[in-house]
Amino acid sequence: MKQLFIPIPGSDQWGPAHMLRQVAALLLLICMLLFGAGVTHALLGIRQHNTQLEQRNYEVPWSLMQLQLEMNRFFDAVRLLNAGVIEHDELMLRYDILWSRTPVLLSNQLKDTLSERPDLWLLIQQIEDRVRSVEPMVQALKPGDLNYRLLLAELAPYAEPLARTVTATMHSNVLFYAEYDKAYKSLSQELYVCTLGLGFCALLLLLMLWLELLSYRRRLLQDALTGLPNRFALQHRLGQLIGRRQPFSITLLELEDLDWLVQHFGYDTADQLQSAFARRLQACLLPHEHIALFERKCVVVAEGVLELAEVRAQLSRVRQALAAPEAIARHDFHPTPVIGVVLYPADADNMVDLLARGELALALCRQERLPYVIFDPSMLKEIERRQQLARDLPAALESDSLSLRFHPLADGEGRCAGFRLSLQWRHPHFGMITGPELGRLAEQYQLSEALLLWALNRCCELLPGWQALQSGLFVSLPLPPSLFRSSIRESLLAALKQHGLDGTSLVLELEEAQLEEELHLTQPLVRELRERGIRIMLANFGSGRSSWGQLTRLPLDWLQLDAALCNGIEREGEARRQFQALLALARLLALPVICCGVHREAEVQVIREQGQAPLLQGDVVSPPLGAIEVKDWLEARS
């Protein structure tokens, strides 16, 4: 019954539908109480009347009637004996029967009943005394004896009072039975009406509970926020498709950076964006596609899908439907999806493995920031490979099995200003592990701090010798997102101090994605690092999503252009115009630029024509150098 008073999650608790349900339930309860009270009253009345009927003693009226009947029979026997019709023994038999009736009435069994009527009690006692006193006369009576008149005269005065008493008693019984029948009929009718009403209310209650059960089942299979089928409905549909052996695809879609949205805009805004995301997905589906909500992910099940071309067509349609911004709370949000796809029966033949491998593809898409990921069995081997690499990395750091690669940064005159560091790891079983993969691996398995401090210590061991050849050299290291916190500052300064270096020997590379945090979190840390002499480079500028306002308020030292932005600038076209726009933006920000991926002299000539003197990195300066090659290279340059 409590479901009738509790609103459905996500509905208006003061809405007309819920108020109507409450009023109907209250009326039903009141009617059931009234009818129940009526049934109780009727049953109690019937029980009371039955008790009165049981308390009424039927032996007294019956015994009085028998006494009157036997007295009349005795009078007839006296007259018949006087006429000589019967024998004296028959008269004595009638006398004995008459004599036996009064002791019954005067017994203890009926004494309590007769004690309520003292006149009747006295009458019976007198009759008994007279009957006993005439016994000698009865025994001496002969046919034709005139004493029979005297015998009749002894008992006849009691016949009339006894007849009136019998008549009054019978009349009282008749009145009692009439009243009892009338009251019993009334109570029976009341009981019938109340029972009928109570049964009708019970039927209404069962109907409401049945409707509530249907509503509960519907809510059980629907998500309260979006109204989409939920996990139970998804499992039911997948179970049916697997039972029929019908091929299908499962596409898992999740909003990118949903936790960040919740943290910065609150749950209400995130819920509205999630609902809009689900509505757009539902609107773009084809008849053979079905959508459900699994935890915070939208799951699209497409029946009959076998080919990857069909999957890619579906993904293109979905991404196009989600491309437009969504205005919520005076903000424009882009519902960018993270997508993972798995196929049945190609990738798995049961529901658990299908969803697990779909989650794996989704996680890989989120981690690699790819448009989508279609599950491939090689991913399982890739997971095992990464896990093994993560187990072997601490031992590799202890044994210095990683190799350092230094990318020189030179100005327009060829003078080296510093080195950008990259790492490589030649694993005995998996071969060469590049720097980007090594960074992702360390981030995933929480080894970033150990890797960063190891690389910094190795650089600090080499840097004093290089600075002796050319002063002012620095080493640039990428700062992983997980280490962008205040505690890393002391670890970096301790490593520099241990080798007698100051903060100017270290440059930290930050990605634009790391600057998307609130300024009250990002700005203090950057300023603290700058105060200790550690300079900051914004890496891969032009490929991220940082805003103009954030860049103007952050104390940066360089803008490092993404390597792809320098390709093709030697020719007139879109690449050169985009490159010129970024340089103009850097001039407005009053920040020097680092151009990476410069491999040809023609690209250097275009860069010089822009009127700036950026630092250059690429084959035009030098290919990546090993740790033992840097000193010879510096000596040759000097």
Side-chain angles (χ1 to χ4, degrees):
M1 286 297 294
K2 68 176 183 180
Q3 294 288 343
L4 301 175
F5 299 95
I6 300 177
I8 299 173
S11 63
D12 184 9
Q13 61 177 340
W14 302 112
H18 184 63
M19 294 296 293
L20 182 61
R21 293 168 66 226
Q22 283 187 328
V23 171
L26 288 174
L27 290 177
L28 178 62
L29 289 176
I30 292 173
C31 291
M32 292 183 69
L33 289 175
L34 292 177
F35 286 124
V39 171
T40 304
H41 177 265
L43 291 176
L44 290 177
I46 292 174
R47 180 181 179 183
Q48 182 179 4
H49 282 71
N50 288 337
T51 303
Q52 293 178 357
L53 185 63
E54 291 174 358
Q55 291 176 349
R56 198 167 190 87
N57 198 323
Y58 293 97
E59 295 185 9
V60 172
W62 183 83
S63 299
L64 290 175
M65 290 174 62
Q66 290 296 321
L67 177 60
Q68 181 187 16
L69 179 62
E70 294 303 328
M71 184 176 291
N72 292 331
R73 287 179 177 177
F74 177 72
F75 290 158
D76 293 338
V78 170
R79 296 187 183 95
L80 291 174
L81 178 65
N82 181 61
V85 176
I86 62 174
E87 298 293 334
H88 188 269
D89 292 338
E90 293 184 17
L91 176 63
M92 291 302 297
L93 178 62
R94 288 297 174 189
Y95 175 76
D96 292 338
I97 294 174
L98 175 61
W99 183 87
S100 65
R101 294 303 175 189
T102 52
V104 174
L105 289 169
L106 296 176
S107 63
N108 293 330
Q109 184 178 359
L110 301 179
K111 185 176 181 180
D112 295 336
T113 305
L114 291 178
S115 62
E116 299 176 0
R117 298 179 61 185
D119 55 340
L120 180 59
W121 178 262
L122 181 61
L123 177 62
I124 295 173
Q125 283 186 330
Q126 291 178 355
I127 292 175
E128 183 184 21
D129 294 340
R130 289 294 182 178
V131 170
R132 291 180 181 275
S133 64
V134 299
E135 182 177 358
M137 297 176 63
V138 174
Q139 292 178 351
L141 188 62
K142 301 296 182 180
D145 190 352
L146 295 179
N147 287 334
Y148 83 94
R149 295 181 182 274
L150 182 58
L151 179 60
L152 293 177
E154 289 288 339
L155 296 176
Y158 299 100
E160 183 63 26
L162 182 59
R164 288 198 303 268
T165 300
V166 172
T167 303
T169 303
M170 296 304 296
H171 182 68
S172 175
N173 287 342
V174 170
L175 292 178
F176 172 78
Y177 294 145
E179 293 178 358
Y180 178 84
D181 291 341
K182 182 178 179 181
Y184 191 84
K185 183 178 180 181
S186 175
L187 292 172
S188 300
Q189 187 176 5
E190 179 182 356
L191 180 62
Y192 174 77
V193 172
C194 293
T195 304
L196 187 63
L198 192 60
F200 182 72
C201 290
L203 289 177
L204 287 179
L205 176 62
L206 291 176
L207 178 61
M208 293 184 70
L209 291 178
W210 182 70
L211 293 176
E212 190 64 28
L213 180 62
L214 292 180
S215 176
Y216 176 75
R217 183 179 183 275
R218 184 174 61 254
R219 296 196 300 272
L220 185 66
L221 299 176
Q222 284 184 349
D223 176 65
L225 176 62
T226 61
L228 296 178
N230 59 10
R231 176 171 59 91
F232 301 105
L234 174 65
Q235 292 175 344
H236 179 68
R237 180 173 293 278
L238 293 182
Q240 289 181 333
L241 294 177
I242 293 174
R244 299 200 304 262
R245 302 288 183 181
Q246 181 174 358
F248 60 88
S249 68
I250 297 179
T251 304
L252 284 79
L253 302 100
E254 186 179 28
L255 275 173
E256 188 178 26
D257 300 329
L258 183 59
D259 293 332
W260 182 85
L261 290 171
V262 172
Q263 179 181 358
H264 289 77
F265 296 95
Y267 283 99
D268 291 340
T269 301
D271 288 345
Q272 293 181 43
L273 185 60
Q274 181 85 2
S275 299
F277 180 74
R279 287 196 303 270
R280 290 192 185 186
L281 283 177
Q282 194 171 18
C284 73
L285 297 183
L286 299 179
H288 69 281
E289 297 173 341
H290 309 279
I291 189 171
L293 196 69
F294 183 78
E295 295 177 353
R296 298 193 305 178
K297 308 172 187 65
C298 290
V299 182
V300 177
V301 179
E303 300 180 13
V305 175
L306 285 171
E307 303 294 334
L308 291 180
E310 299 177 87
V311 174
R312 292 190 177 96
Q314 179 200 57
L315 297 179
S316 176
R317 171 166 36 88
V318 168
R319 290 176 61 83
Q320 184 177 0
L322 299 173
E326 183 74 23
I328 298 174
R330 295 182 295 181
H331 294 278
D332 287 337
F333 295 94
H334 292 269
T336 306
V338 181
I339 304 175
V341 183
V342 64
L343 297 175
Y344 171 85
D347 298 328
D349 59 357
N350 61 83
M351 188 187 313
V352 175
D353 289 343
L354 281 171
L355 294 177
R357 294 175 182 183
E359 291 277 1
L360 175 61
L362 193 70
L364 183 61
C365 179
R366 186 187 306 109
Q367 178 182 342
E368 303 292 341
R369 292 191 174 274
L370 299 172
Y372 58 84
V373 171
I374 300 176
F375 177 81
D376 187 86
S378 61
M379 292 181 184
L380 298 176
K381 296 182 179 179
E382 178 63 19
I383 291 178
E384 295 177 358
R385 173 178 172 273
R386 291 192 179 189
Q387 291 175 346
Q388 186 62 44
L389 289 174
R391 288 192 291 266
D392 296 341
L393 182 56
L397 295 177
E398 292 181 4
S399 61
D400 293 334
S401 300
L402 276 68
S403 60
L404 306 177
R405 305 295 291 174
F406 294 93
H407 303 262
L409 297 172
D411 56 18
E413 298 178 356
R415 181 176 180 275
C416 182
F419 299 92
R420 295 187 67 201
L421 176 68
S422 64
L423 299 176
Q424 290 181 346
W425 178 21
R426 185 174 295 279
H427 193 273
H429 299 292
F430 301 116
M432 185 63 69
I433 310 300
T434 62
E437 182 182 1
L438 192 58
R440 291 192 297 268
L441 180 70
E443 279 285 273
Q444 182 178 359
Y445 293 96
Q446 300 179 358
L447 298 172
S448 297
E449 185 170 1
L451 182 63
L452 176 66
L453 295 179
W454 178 89
L456 180 59
N457 282 306
R458 298 301 170 269
C459 291
C460 290
E461 293 172 357
L462 299 170
L463 196 55
W466 299 344
Q467 289 178 344
L469 296 175
Q470 183 172 331
S471 62
L473 289 179
F474 62 83
V475 175
S476 174
L477 287 81
L479 181 64
S482 62
L483 301 182
F484 192 66
R485 57 180 187 268
S486 299
S487 59
I488 194 61
R489 177 192 58 194
E490 301 302 329
S491 300
L492 297 176
L493 293 175
L496 292 172
K497 184 178 179 180
Q498 181 181 357
H499 297 86
L501 299 173
D502 57 11
T504 58
S505 301
L506 176 63
V507 175
L508 294 179
E509 302 176 12
L510 299 180
E511 295 286 343
E512 288 191 57
Q514 295 173 247
L515 302 180
E516 292 179 0
E517 300 289 337
E518 296 288 347
L519 281 180
H520 70 275
L521 299 176
T522 305
Q523 196 172 21
L525 178 57
V526 175
R527 291 192 182 279
E528 289 174 3
L529 293 173
R530 286 291 306 279
E531 290 173 358
R532 299 301 183 93
I534 299 176
R535 289 170 286 180
I536 304 298
M537 177 192 304
L538 181 61
N540 299 323
F541 176 67
S543 61
R545 298 176 295 181
S546 57
S547 65
W548 173 271
Q550 288 174 320
L551 294 179
T552 57
R553 283 177 283 181
L554 286 173
L556 301 174
D557 295 280
W558 284 285
L559 296 178
Q560 181 253 315
L561 300 185
D562 187 86
L565 297 175
C566 294
N567 293 334
I569 61 174
E570 70 274 11
R571 299 181 299 274
E572 291 288 344
E574 181 62 28
R576 180 180 292 187
R577 287 192 293 271
Q578 185 177 3
F579 178 75
Q580 292 172 344
L582 290 174
L583 291 182
L585 179 59
R587 282 193 294 269
L588 291 175
L589 294 172
L591 291 174
V593 175
I594 297 177
C595 296
C596 298
V598 181
H599 305 300
R600 291 178 289 274
E601 287 294 335
E603 296 172 346
V604 177
Q605 184 63 30
V606 173
I607 294 173
R608 289 174 178 172
E609 291 175 356
Q610 306 306 314
Q612 288 183 313
L615 294 178
L616 303 178
Q617 175 207 323
D619 292 342
V620 72
V621 178
S622 171
L625 303 173
I628 61 175
E629 299 174 328
V630 174
K631 187 175 182 179
D632 295 338
W633 183 83
L634 287 174
E635 290 176 349
R637 300 285 289 190
S638 63

